[in-house]
Amino acid sequence: MNIENQQRNPVLLIHGIDDTEAVFHKMRAYLIQRGLSVHTLNLVPNNGDVGLDELAKQVVDYITATFGSEQHLDLVGFSMGGIVSRYYVQRLGGINRVQRFITISSPHHGTVVAYASRRTGCVQMRPDSIFLKDLNSDAVILAQLDFTSIWTPYDLMIVPANSSQMSVGREVIVPVPLHPWMLTDSRSLAVVTAALAEPIKLKNPVSSQNDC
């Protein structure tokens, strides 16, 4: 999709559990080729040892160090990275900076796969966890952004797969057979590009919990 005439923001990509920024190699190149400024960071540790709320603070630090205080941005979170990004948006003031927000195969309502580990971040991604219940209690705040949730019904990491659905924003189903392919399949790349070309929503600044 041609986004030459659309308002562009820098795009920040947030990876999932056990991943690094390298997982976005194809998507990053694809978006850069279309004229976007694309940024990535490595969340440390990436294995669930610390809470997603702690990882979200790394997102705050990166944004503060990389962008001017008045710079708006677009945020794309994959899998766990979508939940980390939501915490940043809903709890750490990101609602006032992010204009387009995309999650890709994120366990918004938990995944039973998270029961395989007792690590803090994994416990937070279990269905009906206190952490997710809190985030979902005011998920309506995401309606102030241009929010898109992308997911596949064949996901074996997000179980049930429809945990990636949200009651706000736009939903796009991309029927790829494997969780990681959501970052490389041409259909996913096209959907992300289109979402990043959506007109900016006008909104009044709001405060969220623990606003920074």
Side-chain angles (χ1 to χ4, degrees), residues 94-173:
I95 190 72
N96 294 318
R97 300 202 64 169
V98 175
Q99 294 187 320
R100 302 179 184 93
F101 179 26
I102 303 167
T103 60
I104 304 172
S105 291
S106 292
H108 295 298
H109 304 283
T111 173
V112 299
V113 174
Y115 284 109
S117 173
R118 294 184 179 180
R119 292 171 175 167
T120 302
C122 296
V123 170
Q124 289 177 333
M125 288 189 286
R126 292 175 179 177
D128 297 320
S129 72
I130 293 173
F131 182 84
L132 288 177
K133 282 183 176 179
D134 175 65
L135 272 188
N136 289 328
S137 69
D138 62 352
V140 66
I141 195 175
L142 299 176
Q144 299 182 44
L145 313 178
D146 191 275
F147 174 63
T148 305
S149 172
I150 307 170
W151 64 285
T152 173
Y154 306 118
D155 208 316
L156 297 179
M157 285 296 293
I158 311 301
V159 182
N162 64 4
S163 175
S164 294
Q165 289 183 294
M166 289 288 283
S167 59
V168 297
R170 182 187 307 104
E171 174 188 40
V172 182
I173 296 175

Side-chain angles (χ1 to χ4, degrees), residues 6-148:
Q6 301 290 346
Q7 178 179 333
R8 299 181 182 186
N9 290 326
V11 180
L12 178 59
L13 310 177
I14 308 295
H15 66 76
I17 194 166
D18 292 328
D19 288 330
T20 68
E21 62 182 352
V23 76
F24 290 115
H25 175 74
K26 184 171 182 178
M27 180 177 289
R28 186 171 188 268
Y30 185 92
L31 295 175
I32 289 174
Q33 187 178 33
R34 281 149 184 79
L36 290 165
S37 172
V38 184
H39 302 259
T40 58
L41 76 156
N42 286 319
L43 300 174
V44 181
N46 65 353
N47 62 356
D49 269 350
V50 302
L52 309 191
D53 47 327
E54 290 299 315
L55 295 180
K57 294 176 183 177
Q58 296 179 30
V59 176
V60 174
D61 292 342
Y62 180 87
I63 290 172
T64 300
T66 307
F67 307 111
S69 60
E70 301 300 316
Q71 176 66 61
H72 291 294
L73 65 144
D74 298 338
L75 196 57
V76 180
F78 171 59
S79 196
M80 177 192 77
I83 308 303
V84 172
S85 298
R86 278 188 62 193
Y87 194 87
Y88 163 65
V89 169
Q90 293 178 236
R91 298 288 178 265
L92 299 179
I95 190 72
N96 294 318
R97 300 202 64 169
V98 175
Q99 294 187 320
R100 302 179 184 93
F101 179 26
I102 303 167
T103 60
I104 304 172
S105 291
S106 292
H108 295 298
H109 304 283
T111 173
V112 299
V113 174
Y115 284 109
S117 173
R118 294 184 179 180
R119 292 171 175 167
T120 302
C122 296
V123 170
Q124 289 177 333
M125 288 189 286
R126 292 175 179 177
D128 297 320
S129 72
I130 293 173
F131 182 84
L132 288 177
K133 282 183 176 179
D134 175 65
L135 272 188
N136 289 328
S137 69
D138 62 352
V140 66
I141 195 175
L142 299 176
Q144 299 182 44
L145 313 178
D146 191 275
F147 174 63
T148 305

